[in-house]
Amino acid sequence: LTGDWKQQVETCFNMLGEAAYQQVLIDRFSPQNNRQNTTAMHIDLVDIPFCLFITTNYDSCIQKAFEREEKEISTHFYPALNTQANGNPSIYHLHGYIDPENPHETVGSIVLTSTDFQQAYESPGAVRDFLIQIFEQYSVLFLGFGFDDEELLSILETVKRKKRENQTIAQERRLPRFDETSYFALLENKVIIQHQTDQFYREELAEHERQEQADYEIRKEDAYLSNLGIQVIRFNAGDYYKSVENIISNLRTSASISSTSLKSSEDLK
């Protein structure tokens, strides 16, 4: 879908009717039709001690990764979003989730039409309120997420404004300054592949100009995200995102070492 795809889905909903529309969603997003493959990257993510996983996807790849590692995870999905800890890692499906074991009871949670998004992100709205709470209380790693979502950017702007207001109040009242949350984002470099043949000089020049434009867009995006308090880590998308897999694998190793060191320290007490 291109253009205003949310409105296009809304049109499909109106044409099909609710029952037929929901059946299409069940058929489309069922595991056997949706190629929900748990990858090595999912396994690495599971082995990093994140307390929360937040996704806009409808699949259960993270849950399956936890099952493969024989670990427990709690599943939450729109509109029942809350951050109450239960002792286990949790995954939150912001745009709904179709439970493979109970599809007809959960398909109504899917956020896909323009009306769905308005209800989920309007102020106050379940997704908006939940994300504001998350960004205020937790450090966040954005992975596999493009910052072209107007709803999310609006929420980040709100959190930034509230942080500044709180900092101003703390300074005026000479209150102690608490440690702030940190945000990180793994984002793809935009790379234009150059022709290697000299006879295509004009094409090479055009591609060089496009690469310069891509580099400019990257710098502009990085500056904007930095202003929102997000530290950007860029990676090259070649070789099936091997760069991301290496980063996640290194994070897992570091987390494992830190956990082992902590346990060793506790044993010495």
Side-chain angles (χ1 to χ4, degrees):
L1 294 175
T2 58
D4 189 355
W5 59 267
K6 298 170 189 174
Q7 187 58 50
Q8 293 179 41
V9 175
E10 182 92 24
T11 300
C12 293
F13 173 86
N14 293 332
M15 292 176 61
L16 293 172
E18 183 177 12
Y21 169 78
Q22 290 187 346
Q23 188 58 52
V24 170
L25 295 182
I26 292 173
D27 294 341
R28 175 63 183 85
F29 295 117
S30 62
Q32 60 267 33
N33 295 332
N34 197 32
R35 293 169 54 184
Q36 297 181 6
N37 298 321
T38 299
T39 66
M41 189 185 300
H42 290 111
I43 300 299
D44 283 338
L45 284 172
V46 163
D47 285 338
I48 299 173
F50 293 119
C51 58
L52 304 177
F53 294 83
I54 301 174
T55 179
T56 55
N57 293 344
Y58 311 115
D59 61 58
S60 56
C61 290
I62 293 292
Q63 288 94 324
K64 291 179 180 177
F66 269 87
E67 290 178 6
R68 285 181 55 177
E69 294 295 286
E70 298 182 346
K71 297 180 179 181
E72 294 184 2
I73 186 171
S74 301
T75 299
H76 309 267
F77 51 88
Y78 176 82
L81 301 171
N82 63 75
T83 58
Q84 295 179 357
N86 58 5
N88 294 324
S90 299
I91 181 168
Y92 293 86
H93 293 267
L94 297 182
H95 294 169
Y97 172 67
I98 299 179
D99 186 346
E101 304 299 326
N102 202 8
H104 289 91
E105 301 332 326
T106 54
V107 66
S109 69
I110 296 300
V111 177
L112 200 57
T113 68
S114 57
T115 298
D116 293 337
F117 273 88
Q118 289 172 4
Q119 293 174 346
Y121 284 92
E122 66 184 4
S123 183
V127 175
R128 182 179 181 85
D129 294 345
F130 171 76
L131 286 178
I132 288 177
Q133 184 179 9
I134 289 294
F135 292 136
E136 289 181 337
Q137 297 181 4
Y138 294 88
S139 292
V140 177
L141 170 66
F142 294 92
L143 176 63
F145 191 89
F147 286 88
D148 53 359
D149 189 318
E150 293 182 1
E151 291 91 354
L152 176 65
L153 293 177
S154 173
I155 291 170
L156 288 170
E157 291 282 4
T158 298
V159 172
K160 171 188 170 184
R161 184 174 62 254
K162 291 179 67 175
K163 280 188 174 183
R164 286 183 174 176
E165 292 173 354
N166 291 336
Q167 289 173 3
T168 300
I169 294 173
Q171 290 175 354
E172 292 176 348
R173 299 181 180 180
R174 298 183 178 180
L175 299 175
R177 184 171 179 176
F178 297 99
D179 291 336
E180 295 183 354
T181 53
S182 300
Y183 311 136
F184 304 89
L186 295 180
L187 296 179
E188 174 188 352
N189 274 321
K190 303 182 179 79
V191 179
I192 304 297
I193 299 176
Q194 301 284 336
H195 284 298
Q196 300 299 319
T197 309
D198 291 340
Q199 71 183 83
F200 294 108
Y201 172 76
R202 292 184 178 178
E203 287 82 352
E204 288 180 359
L205 181 60
E207 288 174 355
H208 176 71
E209 292 174 347
R210 289 201 300 274
Q211 183 61 60
E212 286 187 338
Q213 179 64 29
D215 292 341
Y216 169 76
E217 291 174 0
I218 287 176
R219 292 193 299 271
K220 183 178 179 181
E221 182 178 49
D222 288 357
Y224 175 68
L225 295 179
S226 177
N227 189 48
L228 291 176
I230 300 173
Q231 301 179 50
V232 177
I233 304 170
R234 290 284 175 180
F235 66 89
N236 294 325
D239 300 325
Y240 299 98
Y241 292 90
K242 284 295 182 184
S243 298
V244 178
E245 292 180 359
N246 290 336
I247 292 172
I248 297 302
S249 181
N250 290 336
L251 280 173
R252 185 183 80 164
T253 301
S254 299
S256 177
I257 293 173
S258 298
S259 177
T260 302
S261 299
L262 179 59
K263 289 179 181 178
S264 298
S265 299
E266 292 175 347
D267 292 340
L268 293 174
K269 293 181 180 179

